Amino acid sequence: MLDKTYSPQDVEARLYKAWEEGGCFRQGVKSGRPYTIALPPPNVTGSLHMGHALNHTLQDILIRWQRMRGRDALWQPGTDHAGIATQMVVERQLAEKQQNRHDMGREKFVERVWQWKAESGGMITGQQRRLGESCDWSRERFTMDDGLSHAVRKVFVELYREGLIYKDQRLVNWDPKLLTAISDLEVEQHEVKSHLWYFRYPVEGMADTFITVATTRPETMLGDTGIAVHPEDERYQALVGKYAILPIVGRRIRIVADEYSDPEKGSGAVKITPAHDFNDFEVGKRHSLEMINIFDRHAHLNENVPEKYRGMERFAARKAIVAEMEELGLVEKIEPNRHMVPHGDRSQVVIEPWLTEQWYVNAAVLAKPAIEAVEKGDIQFVPKNWEKTYFDWMRNIQPWCISRQLWWGHQIPAWYGPDGRVFVAYDEAEAQAEAAKHYGKAVDLTRDEDVLDTWFSSALWPFSTLGWPEQTPVLGSHYPTDVLVTGFDIIFFWVARMIMMGLHFTKTAPFHTVYIHALVRDEKGQKMSKSKGNVMDPLDIIDKYGADALRFTLSIFAAQGRDVKMSEQRVEGYRNFATKLWNAARFAEMNGCVLPDDFDPKAPEGIINKWILGRLSQAVRDVDAALEAYRFNDAAGALYHFTWGTFCDWYLELIKPALTGEDAALKAETQATCAYVLRQLIHLLHPFMPFVTEELWDKLYGRPDGFLMLRSWPGDGVRSEDKAAAAEIDWLIRLIEGVRGARSALNVPAGAKIAMQGIGDDAELIRRLLRHSDPIKRLARIETITMEQAAPTGEQAQGCARIVIDGTTFVLPLAEVIDIAKEKERLGKERDKALAEIAKIDAKLGDASFVSRAPEAVVEEQKERRGSYSAQAEKLADALQQLG
């Protein structure tokens, strides 16, 4: 017998251990056509957050669904070495012991990081298990495993030899605290209160003539090599082609016409510092302006500035430069200014655009076939609108900076000879051989100290994890993978690069579908952040409500293109859904609902049984169609409504007379049908709620039948819908709901039993009322059911409510139960109040100023409120109409 209550805390760890030890997650457990998802590798330093929970839940739903459909499913797990994040963790540990990596040396430091990884790096994989993820953990990979490192070296060397990897001096996002280049994804924009300084630069050869530039970064002026004005700005047309004299430095800088300058912003003239601003870098290239680097790697001024500023920290230099410009009488004005300033997401210091020599990939060449793959439909984005984002990035792609000034990561396989010549090779022995051939003798080589951007190794993830470059059996069977599930923020950083690398090295797109999910926000639609105090920890939620409740909440709100609004109340609601399923199973068990071995779902003749079997078939079709289209919310919604509404609220209630009646044949048929539907329902819910369904399977049917997760997915041919049965039971449900709705709207006391009169003499209607009188009376709280030729008129009609079902009027005499006049007055006032609220909201939404200024979440909230009031007003109007 099932326990009275379901306790996730007592079940989940036990079941997961049984699954894992039983080999249920392994590739090859089913023999059908391969199906593969490569799990986006979380950082080895990471812990499960709500974004992971959404992303991983959706993937697990797909994997469990396809596995149950007989596919040879492989969900390939692993973790990313996370260069900067991991190095920072270990460096902080060393700092606590008054040590640093430079004292240790590179080799010892890297050993220490590997030691940390072995001791603490598996935390997130343990947390993934808490969520119920059915990854093939026997194949778990790490981006610095030997096999993956071999793949990285091969890709680097081959791209270099094809001329697609090279060294160049370009601007990078430089972190002056971590002393490394970082990617755009590792840059956060912070709004700061600062100033806009207007400096006057003298124009060469024109006495008392100045050109005023506005800048937010006075400290970079010492590196100015030009001034840009808009070609159509009449104020400056006479100055284009002339030179200004850079104050403090004395350098001649050319005045150029370029559309980058905005005539409406600042003075309309922009100082150009090509070595310290990404936009200025492009302007400088267009006009062949000199690029002068004025900072060292600590963001202190270097030897390329006047002597008194050398070695000065950049913000100290800012104050000193402004002071000197004021002394020279060249500060026109200073305005307060709020603007966005880039900061390192880990160091939290201001990022410096810095001209430095780095390794680059010629991404433009690799992007061409990657663009074509999406254009031709070999790869599809879901939702499709993300293709535009992909194309915009890819068609304007810049060289990819792949070197990082770190010690933890894939060290670049490049060695330098005594004259600086570079030798790129698979290992040092090969580099030595190349060098000896070049120099005519053996020479000492120095290895490049930089490591590769972590996105470089991650770009190979779909095929390197399967054994590439070795032609392993699993690579042959499970590559290309099927779908990639990820967030929109890494379409460029990861998705595009996987496509580029996959096409270049395997000649095949790494997946056919990219499903882009939205963000998980708080219940008000705000982004979760520690500073706002609105972060929800998925592990805390699992501890409190169980993994199934969290998973179902995430899936039922995962509508394409809409952010997921999370609240603990919502999770609690779906915990109650798991409880509802459990209680339904207990009801079935207590009423002897056992499935005979020879049960044929096409055999039942009872009208309610025929109806539920038809609805079950429809539910299977709905879930399959929704999952095929990656409409996770529709799949979960179909299951929720079938389980809670159709099966629990209606079917189990409607079969009570059969279960307690004297018709033995109908009772046996009903018990078998109920057991069959419950069994299929447990199958359907399993990908979404794996723990409660597996526990029910174990308790109801036992392990001899095997694990539920390895059972076959229900087919949609359970039983085609019996249209007559469907029509009759739907009529019955609508009748009961209509009476219930009228009772609720008119404040009929819950305990009051009332009469019901059907108007007319339709023979089929009379048969239906007789056949279903028990559930109508019991579920609608009706005392008597009679048929009348005509509806009440005159004074008698004043005390009656009316509902119409399929053209037939049903009258509910209520004069002795409620005060009709008082109810009409109440309903009218409430409707008028709802209509007034709708008018207020319409006025707001019709105000273009409000819509343009209000955050999107606020506008959406107003629309939702309008919908709620509109439904309320409609319901109240119906109630008034029922009273005549």
Side-chain angles (χ1 to χ4, degrees):
M1 179 66 69
L2 290 173
D3 293 337
K4 189 173 181 179
T5 57
Y6 171 67
S7 172
Q9 295 76 14
D10 299 330
V11 168
E12 294 179 352
R14 167 173 53 79
L15 280 181
Y16 197 92
K17 182 181 180 184
W19 285 330
E20 195 167 358
E21 290 178 350
C24 297
F25 306 151
R26 287 177 179 259
Q27 172 263 322
V29 73
K30 290 290 185 80
S31 58
R33 189 159 52 95
Y35 182 84
T36 315
I37 296 178
L39 178 80
N43 286 354
V44 70
T45 58
S47 60
L48 198 71
H49 57 64
M50 203 56 82
H52 286 133
L54 172 63
N55 179 278
H56 295 189
T57 292
L58 300 184
Q59 292 174 72
D60 196 35
I61 288 169
L62 293 173
I63 283 289
R64 288 179 182 269
W65 173 56
Q66 295 288 9
R67 189 186 288 121
M68 293 178 81
R69 294 174 102 193
R71 301 285 294 272
D72 178 11
L74 167 59
W75 191 11
Q76 174 62 56
T79 50
D80 190 278
H81 63 279
I84 294 177
T86 306
Q87 182 160 317
M88 284 184 67
V89 167
V90 177
E91 287 202 74
R92 279 197 295 266
Q93 291 177 348
L94 293 175
E96 291 172 2
K97 300 177 182 178
Q98 284 74 50
Q99 297 175 326
N100 64 68
R101 64 184 170 109
H102 299 286
D103 293 338
M104 294 179 73
R106 183 173 192 139
E107 185 176 342
K108 292 290 185 184
F109 177 76
V110 171
E111 285 179 9
R112 178 69 185 81
V113 182
W114 276 109
Q115 179 185 340
W116 173 87
K117 192 262 180 186
E119 294 170 354
S120 309
M123 180 175 70
I124 194 164
T125 57
Q127 294 172 342
Q128 288 175 249
R129 288 170 166 86
R130 293 282 312 280
L131 191 63
E133 299 180 27
S134 60
C135 301
D136 185 350
W137 296 109
S138 69
R139 295 190 48 79
E140 184 180 350
R141 305 305 300 270
F142 178 56
T143 47
M144 285 179 62
D145 285 348
D146 287 342
L148 273 67
S149 295
H150 176 48
V152 167
R153 288 194 299 273
K154 178 178 176 63
V155 167
F156 187 96
V157 172
E158 290 193 9
L159 288 177
Y160 177 79
R161 291 175 180 173
E162 292 171 35
L164 295 174
I165 283 183
Y166 57 94
K167 293 194 83 171
D168 193 13
Q169 272 213 337
R170 295 179 62 87
L171 280 190
V172 296
N173 295 310
W174 183 260
D175 189 313
K177 180 178 179 181
L178 300 180
L179 303 180
T180 181
I182 62 174
S183 72
D184 289 344
L185 194 64
E186 294 161 315
V187 176
E188 296 176 341
Q189 297 293 336
H190 295 180
E191 187 178 57
V192 300
K193 287 182 180 179
S194 183
H195 297 88
L196 192 61
W197 288 268
Y198 290 77
F199 290 165
R200 299 193 304 156
Y201 289 9
V203 177
E204 183 183 52
M206 299 178 68
D208 298 323
T209 301
F210 300 86
I211 184 168
T212 300
V213 299
T215 180
T216 59
R217 304 192 69 209
E219 65 274 17
T220 63
M221 71 164 287
L222 303 182
D224 289 356
T225 59
I227 294 173
V229 297
H230 195 276
E232 297 176 5
D233 193 334
E234 295 179 358
R235 294 173 295 176
Y236 300 115
Q237 285 182 354
L239 297 180
V240 173
K242 297 185 182 296
Y243 287 83
I245 304 300
L246 181 62
I248 300 176
V249 178
R251 182 166 55 244
R252 297 170 74 236
I253 58 175
R254 188 153 46 98
I255 301 170
V256 300
D258 194 284
E259 291 186 351
Y260 166 64
S261 178
D262 183 353
E264 304 297 323
K265 190 175 179 181
S267 66
V270 184
K271 61 191 255 343
I272 302 299
T273 320
H276 297 289
D277 183 276
F278 288 100
N279 291 314
D280 291 7
F281 180 79
E282 297 301 327
V283 175
K285 284 200 302 181
R286 287 196 289 271
H287 298 280
S288 301
L289 300 179
E290 188 179 2
M291 299 192 182
I292 302 174
N293 191 347
I294 63 168
F295 291 122
D296 65 15
R297 65 192 195 127
H298 298 281
H300 291 189
L301 296 174
N302 64 16
E303 69 281 358
N304 294 326
V305 301
E307 187 172 355
K308 76 174 192 175
Y309 289 101
R310 292 174 189 172
M312 194 176 290
E313 189 273 331
R314 55 184 164 166
F315 297 116
R318 172 182 294 185
K319 293 179 181 178
I321 288 167
V322 171
E324 183 167 353
M325 290 291 284
E326 286 177 331
E327 289 176 10
L328 294 171
L330 297 177
V331 176
E332 183 173 296
K333 61 179 176 177
I334 302 173
E335 294 178 344
N337 184 49
R338 296 179 71 95
H339 65 118
M340 305 305 288
V341 175
H343 287 67
D345 66 346
R346 292 185 175 85
S347 67
Q348 292 300 304
V349 301
V350 176
I351 293 304
E352 192 60 55
W354 197 44
L355 188 64
T356 179
E357 188 176 57
Q358 303 280 351
W359 288 93
Y360 288 89
V361 172
N362 186 337
V365 171
L366 296 177
K368 289 179 182 177
I371 292 170
E372 290 173 5
V374 177
E375 287 176 333
K376 292 188 300 182
D378 295 340
I379 299 172
Q380 297 186 358
F381 280 77
V382 180
K384 192 174 178 62
N385 61 285
W386 288 111
E387 288 181 7
K388 182 181 184 301
T389 301
Y390 174 82
F391 288 137
D392 287 347
W393 279 335
M394 295 294 274
R395 288 169 181 156
N396 297 284
I397 200 166
Q398 297 295 310
W400 173 16
C401 176
I402 56 171
S403 47
R404 298 290 182 266
Q405 290 63 55
L406 303 169
W407 285 359
W408 173 245
H410 293 281
Q411 193 169 353
I412 290 174
W415 287 262
Y416 299 96
D419 59 355
R421 182 181 178 86
V422 66
F423 299 92
V424 171
Y426 290 104
D427 54 37
E428 188 170 4
E430 186 181 30
Q432 289 283 3
E434 288 185 14
K437 183 178 179 180
H438 172 75
Y439 293 111
K441 62 179 181 179
V443 296
D444 290 335
L445 297 179
T446 303
R447 182 149 186 193
D448 194 308
E449 291 191 351
D450 288 354
V451 300
L452 287 164
D453 175 14
T454 53
W455 295 108
F456 190 91
S457 50
S458 295
L460 319 180
W461 189 252
F463 52 92
S464 64
T465 52
L466 301 179
W468 188 93
E470 304 301 324
Q471 294 304 306
T472 62
V474 73
L475 180 68
S477 62
H478 283 73
Y479 185 83
T481 66
D482 286 85
V483 59
L484 175 74
V485 179
T486 190
F488 63 86
D489 54 335
I490 54 174
I491 290 176
F492 175 66
F493 292 96
W494 191 46
V495 179
R497 289 164 179 173
M498 282 191 289
I499 295 172
M500 290 191 286
M501 292 298 196
L503 288 169
H504 192 80
F505 287 96
T506 72
K507 310 307 177 189
T508 307
F511 27 73
H512 58 70
T513 301
V514 180
Y515 176 79
I516 302 294
H517 61 74
L519 294 174
V520 182
R521 298 181 178 272
D522 71 9
E523 58 189 310
K524 297 178 181 177
Q526 296 180 320
K527 189 173 181 179
M528 291 187 184
S529 69
K530 291 180 180 177
S531 61
K532 291 179 182 176
N534 63 346
V535 173
M536 292 179 67
D537 186 332
L539 298 171
D540 290 343
I541 296 296
I542 291 172
D543 286 340
K544 193 168 183 180
Y545 300 107
D548 289 330
L550 175 61
R551 289 169 61 110
F552 204 85
T553 306
L554 290 167
S555 58
I556 205 166
F557 288 104
Q560 291 180 13
R562 292 191 64 180
D563 290 337
V564 177
K565 293 182 181 179
M566 279 294 289
S567 70
E568 193 167 319
Q569 290 76 17
R570 283 180 166 177
V571 181
E572 184 178 16
Y574 292 108
R575 188 274 312 277
N576 296 342
F577 176 57
T579 301
K580 186 82 169 179
L581 175 66
W582 186 267
N583 290 341
R586 286 190 80 242
F587 173 88
E589 185 182 41
M590 292 167 66
N591 283 276
C593 298
V594 178
L595 185 65
D597 293 337
D598 61 349
F599 179 77
D600 178 2
K602 295 180 175 62
E605 291 298 323
I607 189 169
I608 297 171
N609 293 327
K610 289 193 288 186
W611 166 74
I612 194 64
L613 288 166
R615 287 301 167 92
L616 173 62
S617 287
Q618 186 60 53
V620 175
R621 290 192 291 274
D622 289 345
V623 173
D624 277 336
L627 290 180
E628 290 282 6
Y630 304 99
R631 290 184 284 104
F632 296 94
N633 63 310
D634 287 344
L639 285 169
Y640 179 84
H641 292 299
F642 178 78
T643 304
W644 194 301
T646 305
F647 183 67
C648 295
D649 283 357
W650 290 111
Y651 179 70
L652 295 185
E653 287 295 335
L654 294 175
I655 63 173
K656 283 179 179 178
L659 294 176
T660 58
E662 296 181 1
D663 186 334
L666 179 59
K667 179 177 181 179
E669 175 192 291
T670 302
Q671 288 171 323
T673 302
C674 180
Y676 177 79
V677 175
L678 176 64
R679 188 178 173 114
Q680 298 296 88
L681 181 54
I682 289 171
H683 282 67
L684 290 170
L685 281 166
H686 178 76
F688 300 82
M689 307 178 82
F691 290 109
V692 67
T693 52
E694 188 74 73
E695 181 70 357
L696 282 171
W697 181 264
D698 184 32
K699 290 288 190 288
L700 294 175
Y701 311 113
R703 286 286 160 75
D705 276 348
F707 288 101
L708 171 63
M709 69 170 292
L710 299 182
R711 300 282 299 180
S712 294
W713 183 253
D716 66 0
V718 174
R719 179 171 183 152
S720 58
E721 183 176 71
D722 185 307
K723 292 185 178 179
E728 182 163 332
I729 300 305
D730 285 350
W731 167 86
L732 173 62
I733 290 171
R734 284 183 287 114
L735 175 59
I736 294 171
E737 287 179 334
V739 176
R740 285 174 169 177
R743 292 179 63 116
S744 174
L746 301 174
N747 280 339
V748 176
K753 287 195 172 186
I754 59 177
M756 183 175 79
Q757 301 168 357
I759 307 304
D761 57 2
D762 182 85
E764 175 58 24
L765 173 64
I766 293 170
R767 280 195 293 271
R768 284 184 176 182
L769 288 172
L770 287 172
R771 187 156 49 228
H772 302 293
S773 63
D774 178 273
I776 294 172
K777 289 178 177 179
R778 181 164 44 88
L779 300 176
R781 304 291 290 168
I782 297 294
E783 188 163 27
T784 60
I785 302 174
T786 59
M787 290 296 298
E788 304 292 340
Q789 291 295 321
T793 58
E795 291 184 9
Q796 286 185 327
Q798 293 301 311
C800 297
R802 293 166 177 77
I803 58 174
V804 180
I805 307 295
D806 293 347
T808 299
T809 298
F810 292 88
V811 175
L812 306 175
L814 299 175
E816 297 180 4
V817 182
I818 61 173
D819 184 330
I820 301 295
K822 187 176 180 181
E823 279 304 310
K824 281 186 174 182
E825 183 181 0
R826 178 184 67 83
L827 292 169
K829 286 181 178 178
E830 289 186 8
R831 184 193 59 179
D832 291 344
K833 185 177 178 182
L835 292 173
E837 290 295 333
I838 291 172
K840 286 180 186 176
I841 295 170
D842 285 346
K844 274 188 179 181
L845 294 177
D847 183 348
S849 175
F850 168 78
V851 174
S852 64
R853 288 184 291 105
E856 184 180 349
V858 172
V859 174
E860 285 301 314
E861 182 187 7
Q862 289 295 318
K863 290 179 179 178
E864 288 178 10
R865 288 183 67 234
R866 191 197 188 285
S868 178
Y869 279 120
S870 180
Q872 183 183 350
E874 188 175 341
K875 187 176 178 181
L876 291 164
D878 288 344
L880 279 166
Q881 187 176 7
Q882 287 172 350
L883 287 176

